[in-house]
Amino acid sequence: MDIFSMGSHLLFLLFLAIPLSVLLLLAFLVRPRPVRIPLKGRHVLVTGGSSGIGLALARAAADEGARISILARDAGRLASAVGAIRVATGVEAVALSADVRDPAAVADALSGAGPVDILICNQGVYVPQELEAQDLEVIKFTVDVNLMGTFHLIKAILPAMKRRARETGVPASIAIMSSQAGQVGVYGYTAYSASKFALRGLAEALQHEVIADNIHLSLIFPSDTQTPGFAEEKKRRPELTNLIAESSVGMKPEDVAKIALNGIKNGDFFVPCNFEGAVLAIATSGLSPQRSYLMAFLEVFGAGLVRFIVLCFQWNWFNTIEKWHAKKNSKLHKSN
Amino acid sequence: MSISYSPYSLFLYRIDLHLFSMASQLFFLLFLAIPPVVLLLLLAFLVRPRPVRIPLKGRHVLVTGGSSGIGLALATAAAADGARVSILARDAGRLAGAVDAIRLATGVEAVALSADVRDPAAVADALASAGPVDVLICNQGVFVPQELETQDLEEIKFMVDVNLMGTFHLIKAALPAMKRRTRETGMPASIAIMSSQGGQVGVYGYTAYSASKFALRGLAEALQHEVIADNIHLSLIFPSDTETPGFAEEKKKRPELTNLIAESSGGMKADDVAKIALNGIKHGAFFIPCNFEGTMLSIATCGLSPQRSYLMAFVEVFGAGLMRFVALCFQWNWFNTIEKWHAKKNRC
């Protein structure tokens, strides 16, 4: 065997050995440890549960044998949702009517519902508009519902959830609905992205505080989903938001719900709902915890390439913005 | 068996060696040297927004939370750079003290604006009286570290209102005049937002604070898209622990586990943080870390943030994977610390 082939063999082994040793090291390192969170016979509470992804989540959880409560503002829509869940699964969901912006109302509604095993904070509002043009009332509305509402819900269920997890020895979950807008802020989404980014900071810190109580945080990151909320939002989007966000047809809520529940059962901290979401999740892994050593491996070895792709996206977005403004200005000049 | 070294076989052997060294040099060029150079050139072409220089001399810098700590240091440093300085805070007495300090240090007469950032009307009034702003530094912030379960909702609301809603109020109030000003002068303006390591990672005791600081990043990423055409540039400043009255207050109230995890180092001086922050603002850098640790965190959390510097972009692309590995080591350490602490507590 000559030096050249020895050298190339060595290099090849090194090429294999480094990733393999990183994989083994990660299998040892990843925290928190993997967990399985069962749904059968347990109490799942879904907020914003009377329509869209929330209703789909409630139905999917009922399908898995969970006891369901859904929380929303409108009693009429809640009643229809309970009917829909009954028809689809035979399960009698409990309807809780409250505005998540009101901590007292939330506490009241939840005191009657009993201890929660899986809390899915899914309520959310989104009004895409340029910050300069958007009313402060709308911004406050977005932050109050999406962020403060989640604080209210968690504060209300946490003591009973901790007691329950201690008594039963079975892990519990606090799952929070985020969005691609919670992974990147784009034109028109100052308030919405602010509220969704905030939920990540909350979740990262809260996981540290409740891991010893066997409670596990999950952030769900769906792409565009075919819901009434999304249809509403698309009508009002600024033109540039449409050009940048490149809205696809969107996933079906049932599919999003299925994937989300799966991630919740695995205690995944990030739960992306499609390939695009998974790439975004790797790009934004930051200092988030990671239970899966395989996912961790992908993050470590994919982060660089993904960052490069991201820079290409920002190049594209800023070009789009530049061109749009240039076109608008030339139209202005033409009309003068 | 003896190997014969005929002249011919020696000749072939030398060609083999020659080919081997050519091949390894080729390998080196193809896989190790050229790709990084090509990547660097590619990134130099790709990075957006384009680089910018934002001058401070003779321009209006407004610093909120400017009567103490990092804010006061920022105002003083900006004044030293020749800027016209306004400082906004709640307490008129502390504002007066700050104006004196700035005058003493730089000879510049700063304008004091008294307002609570939580009140949009008061903020609008203050900004109207201050006149158009060229560099808005949203530095106001409150932080009360405590477990979410025991923290009062009032305190959570306080942090979100001051840190997040206050910033919305300030930007809404300053934006129209800022846009008019950049259009008239043709000079770039800046909206700089004070974040924190708590805005890069959420740790024990920081649910409300991290929520408010993470939110500012979402705001900034989206806002940059909206105001780039107006020649306004967003910056997020990420200091580590800094020796300020606010920090001294916070350390007293920290839960024990927060201290164990946050491993509070010595802390930087406010003046040093201010100097680095202003430098970053002048370059329109989207992320402004203030020390080595902060730079590592910035690379780890670069996510989908924009990057103007192709050198920094290069470091991000090549460093992101290693940083993620380091981040996972940190989480391993933190969750172990939490586990041990609870085990000790349960034994007692």
Side-chain angles (χ1 to χ4, degrees):
Chain A
M1 188 162 11
D2 59 56
I3 303 171
F4 181 47
S5 59
M6 265 178 69
S8 59
H9 281 125
L10 221 75
L11 267 167
F12 182 66
L13 279 173
L14 219 69
F15 200 65
L16 274 184
I18 291 179
L20 267 172
S21 27
V22 172
L23 190 67
L24 287 169
L25 195 51
L26 288 172
F28 164 76
L29 270 180
V30 288
R31 294 284 186 280
R33 293 183 179 80
V35 74
R36 280 290 183 277
I37 303 176
L39 296 183
K40 196 174 168 68
R42 307 186 76 208
H43 183 196
V44 175
L45 171 66
V46 186
T47 67
S50 61
S51 68
I53 300 179
L55 177 54
L57 279 163
R59 279 170 64 162
D63 256 338
E64 299 219 17
R67 187 162 61 83
I68 308 289
S69 303
I70 50 177
L71 187 147
R73 276 178 300 176
D74 186 293
R77 289 171 68 173
L78 277 168
S80 316
V82 168
I85 297 170
R86 189 192 304 119
V87 163
T89 68
V91 170
E92 197 66 30
V94 170
L96 305 165
S97 182
D99 188 327
V100 296
R101 293 175 290 172
D102 180 353
V106 167
D108 275 343
L110 292 186
S111 61
V116 176
D117 297 305
I118 288 107
L119 172 69
I120 306 182
C121 303
N122 163 79
Q123 87 284 356
V125 290
Y126 39 135
V127 186
Q129 194 177 12
E130 292 89 344
L131 177 57
E132 195 185 6
Q134 189 155 64
D135 268 340
L136 263 173
E137 282 317 301
V138 176
I139 298 170
K140 194 172 178 340
F141 178 54
T142 306
V143 172
D144 278 347
V145 172
N146 300 358
L147 176 61
M148 293 312 296
T150 301
F151 271 119
H152 300 157
L153 288 160
I154 295 176
K155 291 266 308 160
I157 57 97
L158 205 47
M161 187 182 262
K162 286 187 170 189
R163 271 195 304 271
R164 176 95 126 198
R166 203 166 43 236
E167 287 164 8
T168 62
V170 186
S173 163
I174 295 174
I176 301 173
M177 188 60 64
S178 183
S179 162
Q180 287 190 330
Q183 296 171 304
V184 58
V186 297
Y187 192 102
Y189 278 99
T190 48
Y192 187 56
S193 285
S195 71
K196 291 303 192 180
F197 269 68
L199 293 173
R200 175 182 172 161
L202 196 178
E204 280 188 8
L206 186 60
Q207 180 66 88
H208 280 189
E209 293 175 18
V210 300
I211 186 66
D213 301 285
N214 208 5
I215 300 173
H216 307 274
L217 271 291
S218 292
L219 284 159
I220 306 161
F221 294 99
S223 310
D224 294 337
T225 311
Q226 298 161 16
T227 66
F230 183 50
E232 211 27 57
E233 189 230 346
K234 276 211 285 192
K235 285 188 220 160
R236 307 157 91 165
R237 274 185 176 181
E239 192 184 335
L240 255 178
T241 304
N242 269 320
L243 290 171
I244 290 177
E246 266 173 39
S247 107
S248 50
V249 174
M251 289 177 74
K252 295 203 176 310
E254 308 86 76
D255 297 331
V256 171
K258 187 155 153 255
I259 296 169
L261 276 189
N262 237 5
I264 290 171
K265 288 192 288 183
N266 282 318
D268 290 337
F269 190 75
F270 279 2
V271 183
C273 298
N274 58 10
F275 178 71
E276 188 182 309
V279 173
L280 281 173
I282 292 173
T284 58
S285 53
L287 274 94
S288 64
Q290 177 57 261
R291 293 177 197 264
S292 153
Y293 66 90
L294 286 169
M295 219 31 235
F297 183 83
L298 278 177
E299 286 169 357
V300 169
F301 281 92
L305 172 63
V306 168
R307 177 56 177 165
F308 180 77
I309 294 172
V310 162
L311 291 167
C312 296
F313 267 93
Q314 286 287 13
W315 172 81
N316 178 270
W317 291 339
F318 278 100
N319 275 352
T320 302
I321 293 168
E322 211 173 281
K323 286 200 190 89
W324 187 87
H325 280 283
K327 208 167 81 175
K328 201 178 72 157
N329 289 337
S330 71
K331 278 206 193 119
L332 269 170
H333 287 155
K334 281 202 195 118
S335 67
N336 286 347
Chain B
M1 190 176 85
S2 68
I3 301 159
S4 68
Y5 291 101
S6 73
Y8 183 55
S9 64
L10 276 172
F11 174 70
L12 285 176
Y13 179 58
R14 280 219 295 275
I15 290 183
D16 270 347
L17 271 178
H18 195 58
L19 283 172
F20 174 51
S21 62
M22 268 179 67
S24 55
Q25 278 166 20
L26 210 75
F27 174 78
F28 177 75
L29 279 173
L30 263 169
F31 291 109
L32 295 175
I34 288 186
V37 172
V38 170
L39 182 65
L40 197 64
L41 291 169
L42 197 50
L43 288 173
F45 165 76
L46 271 180
V47 289
R48 291 286 185 277
R50 293 184 178 80
V52 74
R53 279 291 184 279
I54 303 175
L56 296 184
K57 196 174 168 69
R59 306 188 75 206
H60 183 196
V61 176
L62 189 147
V63 185
T64 68
S67 60
S68 69
I70 299 178
L72 177 54
L74 280 163
T76 310
D81 259 358
R84 185 163 63 81
V85 176
S86 305
I87 51 176
L88 187 148
R90 274 180 301 177
D91 186 296
R94 288 172 70 173
L95 277 168
V99 168
D100 286 340
I102 297 170
R103 187 191 306 117
L104 213 66
T106 66
V108 170
E109 197 66 31
V111 170
L113 306 161
S114 182
D116 189 325
V117 296
R118 292 174 290 172
D119 179 352
V123 167
D125 279 343
L127 278 247
S129 73
V133 177
D134 297 305
V135 177
L136 173 69
I137 307 183
C138 304
N139 162 76
Q140 87 285 355
V142 288
F143 39 139
V144 186
Q146 197 179 359
E147 292 90 344
L148 176 57
E149 195 183 5
T150 46
Q151 189 153 54
D152 268 338
L153 263 174
E154 280 320 299
E155 212 153 55
I156 296 170
K157 194 169 175 343
F158 180 52
M159 275 183 268
V160 173
D161 277 347
V162 173
N163 301 354
L164 176 60
M165 293 311 297
T167 302
F168 272 118
H169 299 157
L170 288 160
I171 295 175
K172 289 273 299 165
L175 208 46
M178 196 180 256
K179 288 188 171 188
R180 275 196 300 273
R181 177 95 127 197
T182 58
R183 206 163 44 235
E184 288 162 6
T185 64
M187 285 179 68
S190 162
I191 296 175
I193 301 174
M194 187 62 62
S195 183
S196 160
Q197 286 189 331
Q200 295 172 303
V201 58
V203 297
Y204 192 102
Y206 276 94
T207 47
Y209 186 61
S210 286
S212 71
K213 290 303 192 182
F214 269 69
L216 293 172
R217 175 184 173 160
L219 196 176
E221 281 188 8
L223 186 60
Q224 180 64 91
H225 280 191
E226 293 176 17
V227 300
I228 186 67
D230 300 288
N231 207 5
I232 300 173
H233 307 275
L234 271 290
S235 291
L236 284 160
I237 306 162
F238 295 101
S240 308
D241 294 340
T242 311
E243 292 163 14
T244 67
F247 183 49
E249 218 18 64
E250 187 231 343
K251 275 211 285 194
K252 287 188 218 158
K253 303 162 109 161
R254 273 186 175 180
E256 192 185 336
L257 255 177
T258 303
N259 269 321
L260 290 171
I261 289 177
E263 260 173 43
S264 128
S265 46
M268 289 178 72
K269 299 217 171 301
D271 287 329
D272 296 329
V273 171
K275 189 157 152 253
I276 295 169
L278 275 189
N279 227 10
I281 290 172
K282 289 194 279 188
H283 284 98
F286 190 75
F287 279 2
I288 304 176
C290 298
N291 57 10
F292 180 72
E293 188 183 307
T295 305
M296 297 295 104
L297 279 172
S298 293
I299 295 171
T301 59
C302 59
L304 274 94
S305 62
Q307 178 54 261
R308 291 175 196 265
S309 153
Y310 66 90
L311 285 169
M312 216 36 231
F314 184 83
V315 173
E316 285 170 357
V317 170
F318 276 92
L322 174 63
M323 285 300 106
R324 178 55 177 161
F325 182 77
V326 171
L328 291 167
C329 295
F330 268 96
Q331 286 288 12
W332 171 82
N333 179 271
W334 290 338
F335 279 100
N336 273 351
T337 302
I338 293 168
E339 209 171 282
K340 288 200 188 85
W341 188 86
H342 281 281
K344 208 167 82 177
K345 201 178 71 153
N346 288 338
R347 278 204 295 275
C348 296

